[in-house]
Amino acid sequence: MSITLKGKRGKEYEFKGPYRFTITLKDNSGVYAILCKREDGLYLLDVGEAKEVKFRVEHHERKECWIDEKECEDENLRYAVHYTPNAKKAGRLGVEQDIRKNYSGLCGES
């Protein structure tokens, strides 16, 4: 199972998931997507990068934004990941920023 998120430059990134539980995630480096499952589809709430994706998502300081500000109930949160085993932080940040530029209203935008 996978989903595709597009970057501003038209590049497509394939993400594994979406998964209901974080137990499915691996603590590998990558870019994660936080989604909300609603009756009419999946909505992107947040995107980020981490050296250890599972740990980062499970201990994320923006979870309140996902649930409260974006009005997504905890049981409707979904997680997807684009693993980047050969990318360093700069490469992961590049993917995250490319996706962020193509979507508006995400948690963590300044």
Side-chain angles (χ1 to χ4, degrees), residues 29-86:
S29 68
V31 178
Y32 57 86
I34 309 300
L35 304 123
C36 185
K37 182 181 179 193
R38 297 198 173 124
E39 288 181 19
D40 56 343
L42 285 170
Y43 292 90
L44 184 63
L45 304 175
D46 201 354
V47 63
E49 65 79 28
K51 186 174 181 181
E52 297 174 325
V53 168
K54 180 179 178 182
F55 182 86
R56 177 72 172 125
V57 169
E58 289 178 339
H59 299 91
H60 211 294
E61 71 276 1
R62 289 196 303 257
K63 188 171 184 179
E64 188 175 300
C65 176
W66 308 338
I67 295 171
D68 294 339
E69 291 181 35
K70 300 300 178 185
E71 299 177 352
C72 187
E73 296 180 20
D74 192 43
E75 63 268 11
N76 292 332
L77 287 177
R78 298 295 183 267
Y79 312 95
V81 63
H82 174 75
Y83 291 109
T84 57
N86 299 319

Side-chain angles (χ1 to χ4, degrees), residues 1-5 12-35 42 44 53 57 78-85 95 99:
M1 174 171 38
S2 68
I3 63 167
T4 301
L5 295 177
E12 294 185 345
Y13 302 95
E14 187 173 343
F15 281 68
K16 295 181 185 258
Y19 303 113
R20 168 64 183 101
F21 301 103
T22 58
I23 191 118
T24 312
L25 303 175
K26 297 177 185 174
D27 252 341
N28 295 343
S29 68
V31 178
Y32 57 86
I34 309 300
L35 304 123
L42 285 170
L44 184 63
V53 168
V57 169
R78 298 295 183 267
Y79 312 95
V81 63
H82 174 75
Y83 291 109
T84 57
V95 173
I99 293 169

